[in-house]
Amino acid sequence: MDGEVPVNLKKVLVLAGVALVLFLLITQPEQSAAAVQQVLGWLRQGAESIITFIRSLFGTATPTR
C-alpha cells in the first residue's frame, strides 16, 4: 500500500467520531452548546479579521460601531 488507509478503517473512524459527538450532545448538552458557541465565535472573529484585512488592503474605510 502506498500510504493508503483501508476504506473500512476510515468508515470505523468516522462512525466513532459521530458516536462520540452524539454521546457528548446527549450526556452534556449545555457544555456542548457552549463549545459550539465558542467555535462559532472564533469563526466569526476570524471572518471579521479577514474582512478588515481586505478592506485595509484596498484602502476602503472600515465601518464604525
Side-chain angles (χ1 to χ4, degrees), residues 15-52:
L15 288 174
V18 169
L20 177 63
V21 167
L22 286 174
F23 173 76
L24 291 173
L25 286 174
I26 292 169
T27 60
Q28 301 177 1
E30 291 180 9
Q31 292 88 345
S32 298
V36 169
Q37 287 177 341
Q38 185 174 14
V39 169
L40 291 175
W42 291 338
L43 292 174
R44 178 178 179 224
Q45 189 175 28
E48 289 175 351
S49 296
I50 291 170
I51 290 169
T52 301

